Amino acid sequence: MYSYDLPYFADSSELFARIADLPQAVWLDSCAQFGSQGRYDIMAAEPQLQLRGTLEQLEIRTPHGHYQQSGDCFGFIAEQLAALPRELPQNLPFCGGLIGYFAYELGTGLGFNRVKTQQPNIPLDDINAGIYAWTLIQDHHSKRCWLLCLKTCPAAVREDIQRRCRSAAPVAEHGYRAGHFSANMSRAEYLAKLAVIDDYIHAGDCYQVNFAQRFSAEFSGSALAAYNQLRRQLPSPYSAFMQLDRGAILSHSPERFLRVQGERVDTKPIKGTIARGKTPAEDQALAKQLQNSIKDRAENLMIVDLLRNDLSRSCKLGSVR
């Protein structure tokens, strides 16, 4: 493992701009400069191994070519990760490895979704991830920045990333344009589907439905510029930007989905929200209103029960609290 101290950037967008032009650039963003919840930002690019495809068929790309991998994709990924060094210098959260996304629709093939979901008609792979040999880590508590490189990372790459991070700020990013957002169903269709769900609930056939609609718009310009605009307006401690071969992922979430540390697994959902008041007194009154809401308390209890059940599928019997 190679470790290099680099200049610290209070706004991580200034650091990411220095590597954003590299292939498959990714940024796990804590939005720390906007609040107290974030600490680490993780950035990488130029994966030594890129994986794209489905549960049954992966296209593997390397700097030397590409090939197809059939069968158990998670088993293949586990083999690749097992070959990486496991040292984490200075107790940092990441030193190289897998970063990417796994689409919601994969749940059907894994047995989590009992009803086959409708394909989203978005030209993105079910799996798109990379195994990265170098990583930039920003620690906003200690105000330090590091470049961490696996031993498989070539010296020329290590030198290039250091030069980029120590150089003057790059040329300002291009802008973007987004058209009017429209839903994939009309108001009448939306209400009709809600009525069907209500019938299912009253019949006892289900007690929760993840019902959502998709909004889309014509877009042109820089996806990174759009992401930076979003993070300024909606800073969230679990945010991410991924530049893909086709398009990009712009993700913002206030919720911790899963955190695994050794043999401990944590999840931290947020259910039940309300507007902020204009004064501390209004804030307290609204908080009390939320705490006394029968609907919101019921939803919280339901989510806790669902998460207990989900974690119990993987955790030791009786260990979930």
mmCIF file of all heavy atoms in Angstrom, residues 51 72-84 86 98 131:
data_model
loop_
_atom_site.group_PDB
_atom_site.id
_atom_site.type_symbol
_atom_site.label_atom_id
_atom_site.label_comp_id
_atom_site.label_asym_id
_atom_site.label_seq_id
_atom_site.Cartn_x
_atom_site.Cartn_y
_atom_site.Cartn_z
ATOM 1 N N LEU A 51 -16.869 -3.893 -14.319
ATOM 2 C CA LEU A 51 -17.859 -4.946 -14.463
ATOM 3 C C LEU A 51 -19.188 -4.331 -14.872
ATOM 4 O O LEU A 51 -19.691 -3.417 -14.203
ATOM 5 C CB LEU A 51 -18.032 -5.711 -13.140
ATOM 6 C CG LEU A 51 -16.758 -6.239 -12.483
ATOM 7 C CD1 LEU A 51 -16.299 -5.249 -11.399
ATOM 8 C CD2 LEU A 51 -16.995 -7.584 -11.834
ATOM 9 N N ASP A 72 -22.255 -17.088 -11.603
ATOM 10 C CA ASP A 72 -22.443 -16.395 -10.330
ATOM 11 C C ASP A 72 -21.619 -15.112 -10.296
ATOM 12 O O ASP A 72 -20.422 -15.141 -10.024
ATOM 13 C CB ASP A 72 -22.038 -17.326 -9.185
ATOM 14 C CG ASP A 72 -22.148 -16.661 -7.821
ATOM 15 O OD1 ASP A 72 -22.770 -15.578 -7.731
ATOM 16 O OD2 ASP A 72 -21.624 -17.224 -6.852
ATOM 17 N N CYS A 73 -22.277 -13.965 -10.557
ATOM 18 C CA CYS A 73 -21.516 -12.714 -10.632
ATOM 19 C C CYS A 73 -20.983 -12.313 -9.265
ATOM 20 O O CYS A 73 -19.862 -11.791 -9.156
ATOM 21 C CB CYS A 73 -22.381 -11.604 -11.221
ATOM 22 S SG CYS A 73 -23.593 -10.897 -10.103
ATOM 23 N N PHE A 74 -21.750 -12.550 -8.181
ATOM 24 C CA PHE A 74 -21.285 -12.161 -6.857
ATOM 25 C C PHE A 74 -20.109 -13.025 -6.408
ATOM 26 O O PHE A 74 -19.207 -12.556 -5.711
ATOM 27 C CB PHE A 74 -22.424 -12.232 -5.845
ATOM 28 C CG PHE A 74 -23.426 -11.120 -6.018
ATOM 29 C CD1 PHE A 74 -24.712 -11.390 -6.430
ATOM 30 C CD2 PHE A 74 -23.075 -9.800 -5.785
ATOM 31 C CE1 PHE A 74 -25.632 -10.370 -6.597
ATOM 32 C CE2 PHE A 74 -23.980 -8.770 -5.948
ATOM 33 C CZ PHE A 74 -25.268 -9.052 -6.364
ATOM 34 N N GLY A 75 -20.120 -14.288 -6.801
ATOM 35 C CA GLY A 75 -18.981 -15.151 -6.510
ATOM 36 C C GLY A 75 -17.729 -14.664 -7.214
ATOM 37 O O GLY A 75 -16.634 -14.657 -6.636
ATOM 38 N N PHE A 76 -17.887 -14.233 -8.470
ATOM 39 C CA PHE A 76 -16.747 -13.706 -9.228
ATOM 40 C C PHE A 76 -16.208 -12.444 -8.564
ATOM 41 O O PHE A 76 -14.992 -12.273 -8.407
ATOM 42 C CB PHE A 76 -17.163 -13.417 -10.668
ATOM 43 C CG PHE A 76 -16.101 -12.752 -11.489
ATOM 44 C CD1 PHE A 76 -15.052 -13.486 -12.026
ATOM 45 C CD2 PHE A 76 -16.138 -11.382 -11.716
ATOM 46 C CE1 PHE A 76 -14.059 -12.865 -12.782
ATOM 47 C CE2 PHE A 76 -15.155 -10.756 -12.462
ATOM 48 C CZ PHE A 76 -14.121 -11.496 -13.004
ATOM 49 N N ILE A 77 -17.113 -11.532 -8.158
ATOM 50 C CA ILE A 77 -16.688 -10.287 -7.505
ATOM 51 C C ILE A 77 -15.970 -10.603 -6.200
ATOM 52 O O ILE A 77 -14.937 -10.000 -5.874
ATOM 53 C CB ILE A 77 -17.898 -9.371 -7.268
ATOM 54 C CG1 ILE A 77 -18.443 -8.865 -8.611
ATOM 55 C CG2 ILE A 77 -17.530 -8.198 -6.364
ATOM 56 C CD1 ILE A 77 -19.753 -8.107 -8.507
ATOM 57 N N ALA A 78 -16.500 -11.563 -5.422
ATOM 58 C CA ALA A 78 -15.868 -11.935 -4.151
ATOM 59 C C ALA A 78 -14.448 -12.452 -4.374
ATOM 60 O O ALA A 78 -13.531 -12.147 -3.593
ATOM 61 C CB ALA A 78 -16.713 -12.981 -3.432
ATOM 62 N N GLU A 79 -14.247 -13.232 -5.436
ATOM 63 C CA GLU A 79 -12.904 -13.738 -5.741
ATOM 64 C C GLU A 79 -11.944 -12.593 -6.055
ATOM 65 O O GLU A 79 -10.788 -12.598 -5.616
ATOM 66 C CB GLU A 79 -12.974 -14.693 -6.931
ATOM 67 C CG GLU A 79 -13.666 -16.022 -6.629
ATOM 68 C CD GLU A 79 -13.793 -16.878 -7.868
ATOM 69 O OE1 GLU A 79 -13.306 -16.445 -8.943
ATOM 70 O OE2 GLU A 79 -14.382 -17.973 -7.784
ATOM 71 N N GLN A 80 -12.423 -11.604 -6.814
ATOM 72 C CA GLN A 80 -11.566 -10.473 -7.159
ATOM 73 C C GLN A 80 -11.202 -9.664 -5.920
ATOM 74 O O GLN A 80 -10.052 -9.231 -5.763
ATOM 75 C CB GLN A 80 -12.267 -9.569 -8.195
ATOM 76 C CG GLN A 80 -12.634 -10.258 -9.494
ATOM 77 C CD GLN A 80 -11.439 -10.855 -10.197
ATOM 78 O OE1 GLN A 80 -10.409 -10.194 -10.355
ATOM 79 N NE2 GLN A 80 -11.555 -12.095 -10.629
ATOM 80 N N LEU A 81 -12.172 -9.455 -5.026
ATOM 81 C CA LEU A 81 -11.907 -8.674 -3.822
ATOM 82 C C LEU A 81 -11.004 -9.423 -2.852
ATOM 83 O O LEU A 81 -10.200 -8.809 -2.143
ATOM 84 C CB LEU A 81 -13.229 -8.320 -3.135
ATOM 85 C CG LEU A 81 -14.144 -7.361 -3.904
ATOM 86 C CD1 LEU A 81 -15.427 -7.100 -3.127
ATOM 87 C CD2 LEU A 81 -13.437 -6.043 -4.197
ATOM 88 N N ALA A 82 -11.125 -10.749 -2.811
ATOM 89 C CA ALA A 82 -10.299 -11.546 -1.901
ATOM 90 C C ALA A 82 -8.822 -11.433 -2.250
ATOM 91 O O ALA A 82 -7.947 -11.620 -1.387
ATOM 92 C CB ALA A 82 -10.744 -13.003 -1.935
ATOM 93 N N ALA A 83 -8.536 -11.128 -3.506
ATOM 94 C CA ALA A 83 -7.145 -11.022 -3.941
ATOM 95 C C ALA A 83 -6.515 -9.673 -3.598
ATOM 96 O O ALA A 83 -5.303 -9.494 -3.749
ATOM 97 C CB ALA A 83 -7.059 -11.250 -5.453
ATOM 98 N N LEU A 84 -7.329 -8.710 -3.111
ATOM 99 C CA LEU A 84 -6.811 -7.378 -2.799
ATOM 100 C C LEU A 84 -6.255 -7.346 -1.382
ATOM 101 O O LEU A 84 -6.728 -8.059 -0.503
ATOM 102 C CB LEU A 84 -7.922 -6.332 -2.925
ATOM 103 C CG LEU A 84 -8.570 -6.166 -4.297
ATOM 104 C CD1 LEU A 84 -9.653 -5.111 -4.227
ATOM 105 C CD2 LEU A 84 -7.532 -5.793 -5.353
ATOM 106 N N ARG A 86 -5.845 -6.143 2.421
ATOM 107 C CA ARG A 86 -6.899 -5.740 3.340
ATOM 108 C C ARG A 86 -6.439 -4.687 4.345
ATOM 109 O O ARG A 86 -7.156 -4.371 5.280
ATOM 110 C CB ARG A 86 -7.435 -6.962 4.085
ATOM 111 C CG ARG A 86 -8.084 -7.982 3.157
ATOM 112 C CD ARG A 86 -8.640 -9.160 3.921
ATOM 113 N NE ARG A 86 -9.294 -10.103 3.035
ATOM 114 C CZ ARG A 86 -10.558 -10.017 2.644
ATOM 115 N NH1 ARG A 86 -11.291 -9.024 3.059
ATOM 116 N NH2 ARG A 86 -11.090 -10.913 1.834
ATOM 117 N N LEU A 98 -14.022 -2.172 -4.505
ATOM 118 C CA LEU A 98 -15.206 -2.104 -5.362
ATOM 119 C C LEU A 98 -16.048 -0.876 -5.056
ATOM 120 O O LEU A 98 -16.417 -0.622 -3.912
ATOM 121 C CB LEU A 98 -16.056 -3.363 -5.154
ATOM 122 C CG LEU A 98 -17.244 -3.520 -6.111
ATOM 123 C CD1 LEU A 98 -16.768 -3.983 -7.477
ATOM 124 C CD2 LEU A 98 -18.259 -4.508 -5.557
ATOM 125 N N ILE A 131 -13.334 -2.072 -9.837
ATOM 126 C CA ILE A 131 -12.361 -2.320 -8.775
ATOM 127 C C ILE A 131 -11.228 -1.329 -8.981
ATOM 128 O O ILE A 131 -10.526 -1.369 -9.996
ATOM 129 C CB ILE A 131 -11.863 -3.772 -8.797
ATOM 130 C CG1 ILE A 131 -13.024 -4.705 -8.439
ATOM 131 C CG2 ILE A 131 -10.707 -3.963 -7.822
ATOM 132 C CD1 ILE A 131 -12.672 -6.166 -8.412
#
